[in-house]
Amino acid sequence: MKSAIEIANSAELLPITEVAAAAGILPEELVPYGRDRGKVKLSILDRLASRPDGKLVIVTAITPTRAGEGKTTTSIALTQGIGRLGGKVMLCLREPSMGPVFGVKGGGTGGGYSQVMPMEDINLHFNGDSHAVTSAHSLLAAALDASIYNGNPLRIDPVSITWPRTVDMNDRELRYAVVGLGGKAHGIPRQSEFVITAASEVMAIFALASDLKDLRRRLGRIVVASTHDGLPVTAEQLRVAGAMAVIMKEAIRPNLVQTLEGQPVLIHAGPFGNIAHANNSILADRIALKLADYVVTEAGFASDLGFQKFCDIVCRTGGFGPSAAVLVTTVRATKSHGGKAFNVLGNEDLEAVRGGIDNLAAHIQIVRRYGLPCVVAVNSFPTDTERELALLKELALKAGAETVVVHEGFARGGAGGVDLAGAVMAACKKPNSFTF
Amino acid sequence: MKSAIEIANSAELLPITEVAAAAGILPEELVPYGRDRGKVKLSILDRLASRPDGKLVIVTAITPTRAGEGKTTTSIALTQGIGRLGGKVMLCLREPSMGPVFGVKGGGTGGGYSQVMPMEDINLHFNGDSHAVTSAHSLLAAALDASIYNGNPLRIDPVSITWPRTVDMNDRELRYAVVGLGGKAHGIPRQSEFVITAASEVMAIFALASDLKDLRRRLGRIVVASTHDGLPVTAEQLRVAGAMAVIMKEAIRPNLVQTLEGQPVLIHAGPFGNIAHANNSILADRIALKLADYVVTEAGFASDLGFQKFCDIVCRTGGFGPSAAVLVTTVRATKSHGGKAFNVLGNEDLEAVRGGIDNLAAHIQIVRRYGLPCVVAVNSFPTDTERELALLKELALKAGAETVVVHEGFARGGAGGVDLAGAVMAACKKPNSFTF
Amino acid sequence: MKSAIEIANSAELLPITEVAAAAGILPEELVPYGRDRGKVKLSILDRLASRPDGKLVIVTAITPTRAGEGKTTTSIALTQGIGRLGGKVMLCLREPSMGPVFGVKGGGTGGGYSQVMPMEDINLHFNGDSHAVTSAHSLLAAALDASIYNGNPLRIDPVSITWPRTVDMNDRELRYAVVGLGGKAHGIPRQSEFVITAASEVMAIFALASDLKDLRRRLGRIVVASTHDGLPVTAEQLRVAGAMAVIMKEAIRPNLVQTLEGQPVLIHAGPFGNIAHANNSILADRIALKLADYVVTEAGFASDLGFQKFCDIVCRTGGFGPSAAVLVTTVRATKSHGGKAFNVLGNEDLEAVRGGIDNLAAHIQIVRRYGLPCVVAVNSFPTDTERELALLKELALKAGAETVVVHEGFARGGAGGVDLAGAVMAACKKPNSFTF
Amino acid sequence: MKSAIEIANSAELLPITEVAAAAGILPEELVPYGRDRGKVKLSILDRLASRPDGKLVIVTAITPTRAGEGKTTTSIALTQGIGRLGGKVMLCLREPSMGPVFGVKGGGTGGGYSQVMPMEDINLHFNGDSHAVTSAHSLLAAALDASIYNGNPLRIDPVSITWPRTVDMNDRELRYAVVGLGGKAHGIPRQSEFVITAASEVMAIFALASDLKDLRRRLGRIVVASTHDGLPVTAEQLRVAGAMAVIMKEAIRPNLVQTLEGQPVLIHAGPFGNIAHANNSILADRIALKLADYVVTEAGFASDLGFQKFCDIVCRTGGFGPSAAVLVTTVRATKSHGGKAFNVLGNEDLEAVRGGIDNLAAHIQIVRRYGLPCVVAVNSFPTDTERELALLKELALKAGAETVVVHEGFARGGAGGVDLAGAVMAACKKPNSFTF
C-alpha cells in the first residue's frame, strides 16, 4: 500500500469551485484561495435560513493511547462511506495549528485512503486563521501594556495581568519570561507568559461566535487584568475589540476543502481541549447543517473531554444537537488499555481485549447519558484477528453499544467505510433523547 | 473632494483574473485569493525568459519631513498616467506590515485618486507573507533554543546569540526580555529581544531571493550565534532551513492587485530600511519587467537610503538597472527644509523655498552620480502658489534636474499624472550611463 | 513602671571583664568588644574538659498567639531568680538578626526588669556573627557562579542550583530575582533567590559545630547544585570551605553579655526554626555547662518545633541532655486559645481558660514524652485574676505538669522569678529519663 | 628574607591599650576589639580641640603599572622611619574591603618589614565598618522598594531609581539583575544593580562626615530616585536616615592598630576612587592631627586621582591642609612606563628609565601645582642598579622634585625609611603655599 504522503501527492483534486457548487454554495458565496481551498461567506446562512437542518453525527473516541485510535481517519472514512451510499454529506474538522505540527509531527488530516486535501496547505498556514488569531491576541497584549505605559488611565495593576502573549510555535523558551526591560523607553518590567495560538482565548471565542458582530462583542468582554481596586479590565475598555474583530474578518469564514473522494469539508477553528472546548467552529457546523443531510463532526480528545464539551458548550451555544455518536476504538488500543506492552500489541491476546473493555464501556456510558445512540467504530488494523474482533464486538454490545462496526477506511477509503456509514445513517433515523 | 477611504470604498475593482489577463498572466499562473487579490506563480519567469525587459523607473524622494512628500501617491499617479497615455505599465511596491499599521496609523497604499486596491486587505494580512516570515523566523528561534536545551550538540554559546525573536506588532514591552525562566522544564534563561517582522532578516533575505531553491540556500546561511570556540552557527546546522523554505513557499509568489484605474500592481516583501534594503522583492521587479514596457518601482526613505540600496544591492543582485529616476518633492516639504514652521506651511514663502532647495539639490546629485536622468516630480497641494511652483522648478533645474513636473495625482488620479508620465517616458528613451 | 527602654538605658552594667571573671572565664579566654560585650575563646573547653556538666534547663512554650507568652522574659527571670537564690547560673540565647529587627520591630532581649544588656548592641551588629555568616554564604554563592562562568570545570547544571544568596535585611524585592544579566562580561543568566541570613544554611551549620575544624568540615559538605550527570556539587569541590571557615573564625566564639542583675549570658547563633533547628549554638551550651551549675537555654517557637529539635538534633549532636523543661504560658494566651478575642483578653473569663487548656496540655505531653519533668511557668499580667490563675494551675496539673508557678519577672525582675527558680532547681534534682 | 606572612605571623604586637596610651588616647576613649584592635571615640576631638594640629604628609604615586610601586609599604616605612628618628607620628590608611580581598588577592597592609598589624583581621571583617555600610545601604534599598510596594505614597517612578544594592563581595553574577519577581506578594519587578560595598555612596559619605549628627544629615540627603513629576526622592523622605545613622554609630569611630614597629595607625573608611574620593576618613585625619606631630596619610591611585581628590574634596571639607607630599615610584615602574616588557624589568636599562620619566614628571607637576614640596620616594628593589638609581634621581630633580630619596622599607623596615623620614620632616618645616 502507498504511504499517506504518496496517496496525498497523487490525488487529483476537484477545483474548489466544483466542490462548492456540488455542495450547494453559490459562486458569490465562495472566496477562493488558490485552486484547492476557499472560504465560505457567512451570508450563506441568511440565504438558507429557512432550510431544515441535516442530521448531525458527532465522532468521539476512547481514552487515547500511544497506539492511536484513528478518530480523524474514521470521520473521513464515514464521510466518504455516506458519499458512496448516495447521502448528501459534509464533514467538519478542527484546524491544525503550526506549533504542534513542527513540534510533534503529523497533522490532523487523516490517513491512508481517508484524507482531506490539500494536506500540506492545511497543515501550514491554511487560509491564515491561526495568524489572524495570533495577531488579534498580540494586539490586545500590546494595547494592555501600552495603556499601563502611557499613564495607566485604567489604573491596571500590572501584577494582576492574566493575558499572556501567544506564538504559533512550540517554543519552550518563551513560556515564562520577564518583559519590559531595557529602561524607561522600553516598557515596564513584569513577568509574562507565552501560550501557543491554539490555547489563545481568542481561538476559543472565535469558535463560538455566531457572526462578526457577535465576535466583536465576545472579544470586548475578554478580561485581561484587574485594577488596583480589584475591578476587571476588559478589551473593550482598552478600545481594541473593534480592531481585533477587523483582524478576524476573514478568519471567521469557514474554510472549504475536500476529501480524497471529493466530499466537501469545512475546517474551521482549532481550540485546545485543555483550556477550551476542543471542537471546530459553530459557524462551520451551522453552514454544513444547512447544506447537507448528514454532517459528520469530530470532537477533540476522548468522550469525557471533547464530546462532553461539544454537548454542553457547542450545542448549547449553537442551538443544535446530534442524532448519533460514533465512538472510535481499535483492537490494539483496547489491548493497550488491557495492559499489553506497546511493542507486542500486534500479537493476538483475548485476555488483553477483555481487560481493556472497561475503558470502552465507560465511554459508551458517557455517550448514552446524553441520550444518544452510540455506534462503536472499530478502526481495523492488519494485525487484528477474527477472534479479537468478535470478542470486542460482543463486549461492546454488552456494554451498551447501539451497533459495532469494523471499518477499513485507512486501507480502502470510502469503500471500507460503507458498513459504518450504513449503521450511522440507520442510527440517525431512530428517535433520540439528546439533552445537555 | 471625497476622502481617501470614501474613494477606496466606492471604487469598482476589476476581478483580479481580468487584471491578470490584461497584464499577460495566464490563468494557470495566477493563484486567486478571493476576487480582488492573487499571487503570481514563479513559473511565469520561465515562460517569458526570452522576452526583453521593459524600462525600469525608480521613484525616490527628498529627506522626509513632517509635511510628507507623497512618494507612493506619486508612484501610483505616474503608473495611472502612463496607462492613460497607452503605455503598458506595471507598478511594484513594498508590503506594509501590520505592526506599524496599528502602531502609527496609515498604510502604504497611496492617497486620493491615486491608490492601490483593496486597501484594507493590503494593510491587514494581505496574502499572509508577513505571517510566513514571522513563522519561519520563529521556527529558527525555537530550533536554536531547543538545540541548546537538548544537550547543545553544536556547543552554542547562549550569550553569543544574535538571532532575536519577531512579532508583527508594535509591542514595546517585548523589545528587551529575559526568556527561558520557570525552571528546568522550561528552557535556559537568557536575555533576548523581539524585532518587528519587517526588520526580520528573513524578510530581507526573501526580498533578494531568485526562487525557492535560492531562498532555501540563503536561509541556510543565516548566522544566529557562535560556538564556545567562536565559530559561526547557521540555520543549516540547526537543520531548519528546509522547513523555513517550505513555510515560505507561498510567500515567495508576488501579490497581484490593481490601481484605482485598473493597472496591475505587484506588492511583495517589505524589508525595513534601517536594517535592510528597503525595496520590494527582486522577483516582483523581474516579473513586471517581463510583462510591461514601463515598470514603476518605489524605494523606501530618501535617495540616500532606499535609492542607493536599490542601485547597489537590488540591481546588483537582480541583474537589472533603471532607465530613469523620479525624485518626489513638494512645495510644502521644501519650505519645511527651509525652516518654515509646520503650522504655517500653507502660507506663500519664497524665501523658505529658496532655503530648502539645498536638500533637493543634494538628492538630485545622488541620483545623477548613478548615471540616471532625474525627473523631479512636484506633488501639488492646494496651498501651493504659482510663484512658489515657478521658483521651485527654476531652482531644481539649476540643481541638475532633467525636467521638473508638477502633478495632481491626488486630486485627479491618472489625469493629473499624464504630464509626469510623459516626462518620464521621454527620459526613459534617452541613453543613460547607469552604474553601481 | 518604667518602659523596657527606660529600664535598659538606666541600667548600670558591670564591665564585661568582671562578668567573665565571676563566671570563671580567665582573662586570656575573654576577647572584649568594648566595655560591655565580649567573646569567649574555645580554648576554655580544653581547660575545663574534666569538669562535670551543670544542670541544663530548656525553656519552651505553648503555641504562640498574638497575645504573646514571654518566653525570653521568663528565661531571664528564671536566670535572675536562680542567681538570687545563690545558684551559679548561666543563660544561653539565640542571636537576633538585623533583618527582622528592622522589618518587624522588637528584638530578642526580654522585657521589663528581665532583660539582657546591652540591648541596642545585641539587636544591631552585636559582635558581627551575622555579618560573618552573610560573608561566608556570599563567598560560596560567588564561587559557585564564578566556577560556572569560568569554563564550568565541575559541569554544574545551572538550573539545578539550590544555593540562594543571602542578605541580613527583610528585603521582599530580592526574594525572587534573575541574575547574571548584562551580557557576556557579567555572568550567566539564571533565576536566583535571596534568603535572610538567619535562614542561611551556614547559620544552621555553625550552630551545630564543635570547633573551627568541625565547622570547616561541615561547610565543605554543603551541597549547592548538581552536575549535568546528577551528582552533588559541594563547597569543598568549589574550594571555598577553607576561606568560609576563616571568615567564621571569630563568629564561632560565643558572645558574653549579662542580665540586668549581672548573671552571665551567652548569646550565640540564630538559625530560623522553619528551615533549621531554632536553638542557640552547641558551643554556647557546652561552655555554659562547664562554667555553671544551672544553665538555662531557650528553644525557638513552641515545644512541637524548637523543643523537639533541641532534643532530637542539638542534644544528639552536642552529647548532652536537659534535666528539666520549663513550659511558658500566660492566662491571656490560654484564653486566646480558648477563642477569646484579642481586644477583650483583659476581662476575666474562666470558660476561655478552660477552652484553651487543650493547647497547653498537648505541649505538656510533648515534653513528658521525652522523659522530662515539665514545670509550667505562668508569666503574669496585671489583668490576670486569682480565679483564672487558680483554674489554670488546676488544669495544668491535671494535664501532667510537674508544678505550676506564676512568676512576675517582667514587673519585679529576679525577685519575681524566685519561686519559679526554686521549682526548677527542685525539678532538676529529681531523676529523669530523658531520651531522644 | 622571610615572607610578608611569616613576618606578620611572628610579629609581637603591643596590646592595643598600650598603643593607645602611647599615642595619647585616654583609656575611656578607647573601645577595645580584642587585644590587638580598638576604636577611638569621637569625644577625643572635644578634649583636644584646642591643641594645635601636627604636620600632615600626603603620600601619592605615579600612574600604577603591573610592576607595582609600593605606596602603602612606603607610607608605613616613612611612619616607622619618623618613629626611629623620635618623631611623634601617626599613620592614616583606608580600610580594605572583603570583596577585592577574595576577588583579587592581596590586602592593603603593606609588605615585608613595613606592615600594619594584625594583617588578617584588617583584611577580613576588621571591626565591622564595611558590614555597617552594607547594612545601612541595604536598609535604604529595602525601604525604597517597600515604599513603592506599599502604595507608593511618594509617587516614585520605579524606572528612575538610581540606588543600587550592595554586597561586600566580588560577585559578577549580581551586577545586573531583575528583582521583585515571584508575583504580587514578592515585590514589583524592576531592573537593579549590585555594587561592591567600597563603591557604596554610604561609604563615601561616611568618610566625609564630621560626627554622627553630620552623618545623619548627609545620609538624609542621598537621592535615590525621582518622582513621576521628576522631583528628587531622598533617604530623608523615606524616613530611614535616622536608622541608617544608628547602624553606623560604631563604624564612625576610627580603628586603631599599629605598625610592625609599634607606631599608632588609624584605618578608617575605604571609598573607591572611581566613584568617590579614594581617601580614608576625615575623622581619622583630624584625630591623628591632634595626637601626633607628623601624620602620614595615603591617597588612592595616582596623583591625578586620589591626591587631587584629597586636596580638592577632603582638605576642603575637613578644613586642613598638607605640609608636604611624597610621590612614590620605583625604578622598575619607571622602566615599565618607558616601554620595557614586564618579564625583563629586572635588567638594567637606562634608556627605559629615561623613556619613563615623563610620567613621573607629570605627577611632580600636579603636586607642585597645589603649592606643595614634592619628595620623590624611590621604593628600592634588589634588581635596581646604581646607575639606574642615579639617573632616576637626576631626572626627577630636573622635573621639579624637592628631593629624591631611595628607601629600603620593605627589606629593613623603619631603619630603611630613616632617610626618607628625614627628608620629609625637613620638607614639612619649609613654608608652603598649599591651595585648592
Side-chain angles (χ1 to χ4, degrees), chain A residues 32 34 120 125 173 178 180 188 247, chain B residues 32 34 125 173 178 180 188 247 249:
Chain A
E120 195 179 58
H125 311 286
E173 191 78 4
V178 176
I188 290 166
I247 289 175
Chain B
H125 310 285
E173 192 78 5
V178 177
I188 290 165
I247 290 175
K249 76 185 168 63

Side-chain angles (χ1 to χ4, degrees), chain D residues 189-252:
Chain D
R190 65 181 187 83
Q191 290 182 278
S192 189
E193 298 180 17
F194 278 77
V195 298
I196 204 155
T197 302
S200 164
E201 195 173 325
V202 175
M203 181 65 91
I205 284 172
F206 129 74
L208 294 175
S210 56
D211 56 28
L212 198 56
K213 268 194 187 166
D214 181 47
L215 176 60
R216 167 73 181 69
R217 275 190 302 268
R218 290 174 180 269
L219 292 171
R221 293 196 299 259
I222 293 175
V223 172
V224 294
S226 55
T227 67
H228 284 296
D229 308 314
L231 300 173
V233 176
T234 66
E236 198 63 58
Q237 290 173 273
L238 288 163
R239 305 194 181 177
V240 287
M244 291 171 75
V246 168
I247 289 176
M248 298 289 294
K249 77 186 167 65
E250 293 185 43
I252 203 174

Side-chain angles (χ1 to χ4, degrees), chain A residues 149 179-189, chain B residues 172-176:
Chain A
Y149 185 80
V179 299
L181 303 178
K184 193 150 189 166
H186 301 293
I188 290 166
Chain B
R172 178 197 307 275
E173 192 78 5
L174 290 181
R175 285 187 203 153
Y176 298 97

Side-chain angles (χ1 to χ4, degrees), chain B residues 20 76-77 96 105 109 127 133 171 243 301 323 372 427-428:
Chain B
I76 299 166
K105 274 166 201 168
T109 52
N127 297 336
V133 168
D171 191 340
F301 299 88
S323 300
L372 289 177
C428 283

Side-chain angles (χ1 to χ4, degrees), chain C residues 31-32 34 37 120-121 125 131 135 165 171-178 180-181 185-186 188 247 249-250, chain D residues 31-32 34 37 120-121 125 131 135 165 171-178 180-181 185-186 188 247 249-250:
Chain C
V31 186
R37 295 135 42 197
E120 195 179 58
D121 291 4
H125 311 285
H131 294 314
S135 295
R165 278 178 170 78
D171 192 339
R172 179 194 308 273
E173 191 77 5
L174 290 181
R175 285 187 203 154
Y176 299 96
V178 176
L181 303 177
H186 301 293
I188 290 166
I247 290 175
K249 78 185 168 63
E250 293 187 43
Chain D
V31 185
R37 296 135 41 198
E120 196 180 57
D121 290 3
H125 310 285
H131 294 313
S135 294
R165 279 180 171 77
D171 192 339
R172 178 196 309 272
E173 191 79 3
L174 290 181
R175 284 186 203 155
Y176 298 97
V178 176
L181 303 177
H186 301 292
I188 291 165
I247 289 176
K249 77 186 167 65
E250 293 185 43

Side-chain angles (χ1 to χ4, degrees), chain C residues 74 326-329 374-380 389 392-393 396-397 401-408 416-424:
Chain C
T74 300
V326 174
L327 180 65
V328 181
T329 189
C374 180
V375 177
V376 170
V378 182
N379 184 14
S380 72
L389 287 167
L392 182 56
K393 276 191 197 182
L397 286 170
E402 177 79 14
T403 51
V404 181
V405 190
V406 180
H407 81 84
E408 297 177 87
V418 161
D419 289 354
L420 177 60
V424 167

Side-chain angles (χ1 to χ4, degrees), chain C residues 271-283:
Chain C
F272 261 21
N274 47 354
I275 59 102
H277 51 85
N279 284 275
N280 59 252
S281 79
I282 285 177
L283 279 166

